[in-house]
PDB file of all heavy atoms in Angstrom:
ATOM      1  N   GLN A 176       7.552  25.868  -5.316  1.00 96.00           N
ATOM      2  CA  GLN A 176       6.406  26.472  -5.907  1.00 96.00           C
ATOM      3  C   GLN A 176       5.295  26.352  -5.004  1.00 96.00           C
ATOM      4  O   GLN A 176       4.514  27.422  -4.845  1.00 96.00           O
ATOM      5  CB  GLN A 176       6.103  25.742  -7.195  1.00 96.00           C
ATOM      6  CG  GLN A 176       7.055  25.700  -8.228  1.00 96.00           C
ATOM      7  CD  GLN A 176       7.465  27.062  -8.746  1.00 96.00           C
ATOM      8  OE1 GLN A 176       6.607  27.892  -9.055  1.00 96.00           O
ATOM      9  NE2 GLN A 176       8.854  27.467  -8.826  1.00 96.00           N
ATOM     10  N   PHE A 177       5.020  25.388  -4.315  1.00 96.00           N
ATOM     11  CA  PHE A 177       3.813  25.149  -3.443  1.00 96.00           C
ATOM     12  C   PHE A 177       3.971  25.965  -2.189  1.00 96.00           C
ATOM     13  O   PHE A 177       2.937  26.516  -1.756  1.00 96.00           O
ATOM     14  CB  PHE A 177       3.709  23.644  -3.121  1.00 96.00           C
ATOM     15  CG  PHE A 177       3.428  22.707  -4.202  1.00 96.00           C
ATOM     16  CD1 PHE A 177       3.680  21.335  -3.828  1.00 96.00           C
ATOM     17  CD2 PHE A 177       3.108  23.111  -5.386  1.00 96.00           C
ATOM     18  CE1 PHE A 177       3.473  20.376  -4.994  1.00 96.00           C
ATOM     19  CE2 PHE A 177       2.925  22.125  -6.451  1.00 96.00           C
ATOM     20  CZ  PHE A 177       3.156  20.878  -6.165  1.00 96.00           C
ATOM     21  N   PHE A 178       5.137  26.041  -1.481  1.00 96.00           N
ATOM     22  CA  PHE A 178       5.285  26.524  -0.199  1.00 96.00           C
ATOM     23  C   PHE A 178       6.101  27.804  -0.174  1.00 96.00           C
ATOM     24  O   PHE A 178       6.241  28.232   0.931  1.00 96.00           O
ATOM     25  CB  PHE A 178       5.715  25.461   0.726  1.00 96.00           C
ATOM     26  CG  PHE A 178       4.778  24.174   0.754  1.00 96.00           C
ATOM     27  CD1 PHE A 178       5.259  23.032   0.184  1.00 96.00           C
ATOM     28  CD2 PHE A 178       3.553  24.328   1.217  1.00 96.00           C
ATOM     29  CE1 PHE A 178       4.420  21.843   0.293  1.00 96.00           C
ATOM     30  CE2 PHE A 178       2.694  23.185   1.197  1.00 96.00           C
ATOM     31  CZ  PHE A 178       3.124  21.957   0.745  1.00 96.00           C
ATOM     32  N   GLY A 179       6.733  28.150  -1.224  1.00 96.00           N
ATOM     33  CA  GLY A 179       7.563  29.327  -1.263  1.00 96.00           C
ATOM     34  C   GLY A 179       8.624  29.524  -0.167  1.00 96.00           C
ATOM     35  O   GLY A 179       9.367  28.608  -0.003  1.00 96.00           O
ATOM     36  N   ARG A 180       8.557  30.710   0.543  1.00 97.00           N
ATOM     37  CA  ARG A 180       9.573  30.979   1.547  1.00 97.00           C
ATOM     38  C   ARG A 180       9.594  29.936   2.732  1.00 97.00           C
ATOM     39  O   ARG A 180      10.661  29.614   3.189  1.00 97.00           O
ATOM     40  CB  ARG A 180       9.215  32.357   1.992  1.00 97.00           C
ATOM     41  CG  ARG A 180      10.390  32.874   3.013  1.00 97.00           C
ATOM     42  CD  ARG A 180      10.217  34.324   3.305  1.00 97.00           C
ATOM     43  NE  ARG A 180      10.274  35.070   2.149  1.00 97.00           N
ATOM     44  CZ  ARG A 180      10.334  36.462   2.077  1.00 97.00           C
ATOM     45  NH1 ARG A 180      10.258  37.074   3.185  1.00 97.00           N
ATOM     46  NH2 ARG A 180      10.392  37.137   1.006  1.00 97.00           N
ATOM     47  N   ASP A 181       8.376  29.352   2.991  1.00 97.00           N
ATOM     48  CA  ASP A 181       8.392  28.423   4.112  1.00 97.00           C
ATOM     49  C   ASP A 181       9.245  27.201   3.794  1.00 97.00           C
ATOM     50  O   ASP A 181       9.989  26.706   4.625  1.00 97.00           O
ATOM     51  CB  ASP A 181       6.920  27.939   4.319  1.00 97.00           C
ATOM     52  CG  ASP A 181       6.063  29.090   4.986  1.00 97.00           C
ATOM     53  OD1 ASP A 181       6.670  30.023   5.523  1.00 97.00           O
ATOM     54  OD2 ASP A 181       4.809  28.889   4.942  1.00 97.00           O
ATOM     55  N   TYR A 182       9.167  26.743   2.459  1.00 97.00           N
ATOM     56  CA  TYR A 182       9.992  25.509   2.182  1.00 97.00           C
ATOM     57  C   TYR A 182      11.318  25.989   2.107  1.00 97.00           C
ATOM     58  O   TYR A 182      12.309  25.213   2.519  1.00 97.00           O
ATOM     59  CB  TYR A 182       9.512  24.991   0.857  1.00 97.00           C
ATOM     60  CG  TYR A 182      10.218  23.626   0.586  1.00 97.00           C
ATOM     61  CD1 TYR A 182       9.697  22.430   1.230  1.00 97.00           C
ATOM     62  CD2 TYR A 182      11.362  23.483  -0.075  1.00 97.00           C
ATOM     63  CE1 TYR A 182      10.278  21.307   1.206  1.00 97.00           C
ATOM     64  CE2 TYR A 182      11.981  22.254  -0.121  1.00 97.00           C
ATOM     65  CZ  TYR A 182      11.459  21.161   0.509  1.00 97.00           C
ATOM     66  OH  TYR A 182      12.108  20.056   0.417  1.00 97.00           O
ATOM     67  N   GLN A 183      11.784  27.260   1.490  1.00 97.00           N
ATOM     68  CA  GLN A 183      13.187  27.571   1.472  1.00 97.00           C
ATOM     69  C   GLN A 183      13.788  27.686   2.884  1.00 97.00           C
ATOM     70  O   GLN A 183      14.972  27.158   3.105  1.00 97.00           O
ATOM     71  CB  GLN A 183      13.275  28.958   0.728  1.00 97.00           C
ATOM     72  CG  GLN A 183      12.943  28.805  -0.704  1.00 97.00           C
ATOM     73  CD  GLN A 183      12.935  30.205  -1.375  1.00 97.00           C
ATOM     74  OE1 GLN A 183      12.530  31.231  -0.733  1.00 97.00           O
ATOM     75  NE2 GLN A 183      13.425  30.305  -2.617  1.00 97.00           N
ATOM     76  N   GLU A 184      13.007  28.069   3.799  1.00 98.00           N
ATOM     77  CA  GLU A 184      13.484  28.315   5.171  1.00 98.00           C
ATOM     78  C   GLU A 184      13.718  26.885   5.821  1.00 98.00           C
ATOM     79  O   GLU A 184      14.742  26.640   6.504  1.00 98.00           O
ATOM     80  CB  GLU A 184      12.561  29.181   5.970  1.00 98.00           C
ATOM     81  CG  GLU A 184      13.020  29.249   7.371  1.00 98.00           C
ATOM     82  CD  GLU A 184      14.289  30.225   7.727  1.00 98.00           C
ATOM     83  OE1 GLU A 184      14.634  30.893   6.635  1.00 98.00           O
ATOM     84  OE2 GLU A 184      14.863  30.144   8.626  1.00 98.00           O
ATOM     85  N   TYR A 185      12.824  26.038   5.606  1.00 98.00           N
ATOM     86  CA  TYR A 185      12.753  24.558   5.994  1.00 98.00           C
ATOM     87  C   TYR A 185      14.072  23.887   5.387  1.00 98.00           C
ATOM     88  O   TYR A 185      14.833  23.227   6.126  1.00 98.00           O
ATOM     89  CB  TYR A 185      11.486  23.882   5.659  1.00 98.00           C
ATOM     90  CG  TYR A 185      11.517  22.447   5.887  1.00 98.00           C
ATOM     91  CD1 TYR A 185      11.671  21.890   7.185  1.00 98.00           C
ATOM     92  CD2 TYR A 185      11.227  21.553   4.788  1.00 98.00           C
ATOM     93  CE1 TYR A 185      11.605  20.537   7.366  1.00 98.00           C
ATOM     94  CE2 TYR A 185      11.271  20.130   5.045  1.00 98.00           C
ATOM     95  CZ  TYR A 185      11.444  19.702   6.362  1.00 98.00           C
ATOM     96  OH  TYR A 185      11.393  18.292   6.570  1.00 98.00           O
ATOM     97  N   ALA A 186      14.301  24.130   4.063  1.00 97.00           N
ATOM     98  CA  ALA A 186      15.358  23.465   3.427  1.00 97.00           C
ATOM     99  C   ALA A 186      16.726  23.999   3.804  1.00 97.00           C
ATOM    100  O   ALA A 186      17.760  23.199   3.925  1.00 97.00           O
ATOM    101  CB  ALA A 186      15.244  23.658   1.920  1.00 97.00           C
ATOM    102  N   ARG A 187      16.760  25.287   4.330  1.00 97.00           N
ATOM    103  CA  ARG A 187      17.995  25.811   4.804  1.00 97.00           C
ATOM    104  C   ARG A 187      18.314  25.217   6.141  1.00 97.00           C
ATOM    105  O   ARG A 187      19.562  25.055   6.484  1.00 97.00           O
ATOM    106  CB  ARG A 187      17.836  27.372   4.975  1.00 97.00           C
ATOM    107  CG  ARG A 187      19.010  28.049   5.208  1.00 97.00           C
ATOM    108  CD  ARG A 187      18.714  29.650   5.421  1.00 97.00           C
ATOM    109  NE  ARG A 187      17.878  29.975   6.517  1.00 97.00           N
ATOM    110  CZ  ARG A 187      18.228  29.931   7.698  1.00 97.00           C
ATOM    111  NH1 ARG A 187      19.500  29.535   8.165  1.00 97.00           N
ATOM    112  NH2 ARG A 187      17.344  30.230   8.769  1.00 97.00           N
ATOM    113  N   LYS A 188      17.435  24.882   6.913  1.00 97.00           N
ATOM    114  CA  LYS A 188      17.642  24.308   8.419  1.00 97.00           C
ATOM    115  C   LYS A 188      17.761  22.831   8.352  1.00 97.00           C
ATOM    116  O   LYS A 188      18.521  22.287   9.265  1.00 97.00           O
ATOM    117  CB  LYS A 188      16.500  24.704   9.304  1.00 97.00           C
ATOM    118  CG  LYS A 188      16.375  26.116   9.554  1.00 97.00           C
ATOM    119  CD  LYS A 188      15.133  26.336  10.439  1.00 97.00           C
ATOM    120  CE  LYS A 188      14.918  27.854  10.702  1.00 97.00           C
ATOM    121  NZ  LYS A 188      13.536  28.030  11.408  1.00 97.00           N
ATOM    122  N   VAL A 189      17.094  22.095   7.523  1.00 98.00           N
ATOM    123  CA  VAL A 189      17.066  20.579   7.615  1.00 98.00           C
ATOM    124  C   VAL A 189      17.535  20.089   6.253  1.00 98.00           C
ATOM    125  O   VAL A 189      17.302  20.401   5.236  1.00 98.00           O
ATOM    126  CB  VAL A 189      15.585  20.243   7.758  1.00 98.00           C
ATOM    127  CG1 VAL A 189      15.491  18.602   7.801  1.00 98.00           C
ATOM    128  CG2 VAL A 189      14.946  20.881   8.972  1.00 98.00           C
ATOM    129  N   GLY A 190      18.555  18.990   6.497  1.00 98.00           N
ATOM    130  CA  GLY A 190      19.148  18.510   5.333  1.00 98.00           C
ATOM    131  C   GLY A 190      18.233  17.501   4.707  1.00 98.00           C
ATOM    132  O   GLY A 190      17.172  17.099   5.153  1.00 98.00           O
ATOM    133  N   SER A 191      18.573  17.039   3.544  1.00 98.00           N
ATOM    134  CA  SER A 191      17.710  16.221   2.646  1.00 98.00           C
ATOM    135  C   SER A 191      17.578  14.708   3.251  1.00 98.00           C
ATOM    136  O   SER A 191      16.597  14.097   3.033  1.00 98.00           O
ATOM    137  CB  SER A 191      18.287  16.065   1.263  1.00 98.00           C
ATOM    138  OG  SER A 191      19.516  15.252   1.132  1.00 98.00           O
ATOM    139  N   GLY A 192      18.604  14.324   3.828  1.00 97.00           N
ATOM    140  CA  GLY A 192      18.486  12.939   4.486  1.00 97.00           C
ATOM    141  C   GLY A 192      19.334  11.969   3.584  1.00 97.00           C
ATOM    142  O   GLY A 192      19.455  10.772   3.853  1.00 97.00           O
ATOM    143  N   ILE A 193      19.790  12.438   2.440  1.00 97.00           N
ATOM    144  CA  ILE A 193      20.622  11.656   1.442  1.00 97.00           C
ATOM    145  C   ILE A 193      22.010  12.257   1.491  1.00 97.00           C
ATOM    146  O   ILE A 193      22.119  13.482   1.214  1.00 97.00           O
ATOM    147  CB  ILE A 193      20.027  11.658   0.112  1.00 97.00           C
ATOM    148  CG1 ILE A 193      18.685  11.026   0.103  1.00 97.00           C
ATOM    149  CG2 ILE A 193      20.932  10.703  -0.909  1.00 97.00           C
ATOM    150  CD1 ILE A 193      18.474   9.543   0.454  1.00 97.00           C
ATOM    151  N   PRO A 194      23.076  11.582   1.863  1.00 96.00           N
ATOM    152  CA  PRO A 194      24.519  12.252   1.872  1.00 96.00           C
ATOM    153  C   PRO A 194      24.818  12.853   0.516  1.00 96.00           C
ATOM    154  O   PRO A 194      24.532  12.331  -0.517  1.00 96.00           O
ATOM    155  CB  PRO A 194      25.366  11.078   2.055  1.00 96.00           C
ATOM    156  CG  PRO A 194      24.509  10.012   2.753  1.00 96.00           C
ATOM    157  CD  PRO A 194      23.136  10.120   2.163  1.00 96.00           C
ATOM    158  N   PHE A 195      25.347  14.047   0.616  1.00 95.00           N
ATOM    159  CA  PHE A 195      25.880  14.902  -0.366  1.00 95.00           C
ATOM    160  C   PHE A 195      24.809  15.449  -1.358  1.00 95.00           C
ATOM    161  O   PHE A 195      25.084  15.888  -2.486  1.00 95.00           O
ATOM    162  CB  PHE A 195      27.015  14.117  -1.165  1.00 95.00           C
ATOM    163  CG  PHE A 195      28.087  13.564  -0.335  1.00 95.00           C
ATOM    164  CD1 PHE A 195      28.104  12.147  -0.235  1.00 95.00           C
ATOM    165  CD2 PHE A 195      28.888  14.344   0.296  1.00 95.00           C
ATOM    166  CE1 PHE A 195      29.063  11.662   0.586  1.00 95.00           C
ATOM    167  CE2 PHE A 195      29.881  13.743   1.075  1.00 95.00           C
ATOM    168  CZ  PHE A 195      30.009  12.379   1.279  1.00 95.00           C
ATOM    169  N   ILE A 196      23.497  15.311  -0.885  1.00 95.00           N
ATOM    170  CA  ILE A 196      22.450  15.871  -1.681  1.00 95.00           C
ATOM    171  C   ILE A 196      21.778  17.017  -0.823  1.00 95.00           C
ATOM    172  O   ILE A 196      21.295  16.712   0.066  1.00 95.00           O
ATOM    173  CB  ILE A 196      21.370  14.901  -2.191  1.00 95.00           C
ATOM    174  CG1 ILE A 196      22.058  13.901  -3.196  1.00 95.00           C
ATOM    175  CG2 ILE A 196      20.313  15.640  -2.955  1.00 95.00           C
ATOM    176  CD1 ILE A 196      21.130  12.695  -3.531  1.00 95.00           C
TER     177      ILE A 196
END
Side-chain angles (χ1 to χ4, degrees):
Q176 299 296 312
F177 301 161
F178 304 113
R180 185 173 298 190
D181 289 341
Y182 192 82
Q183 288 177 324
E184 184 65 19
Y185 173 60
R187 190 180 62 74
K188 292 180 187 172
V189 179
S191 72
I193 303 290
F195 310 110
I196 299 175

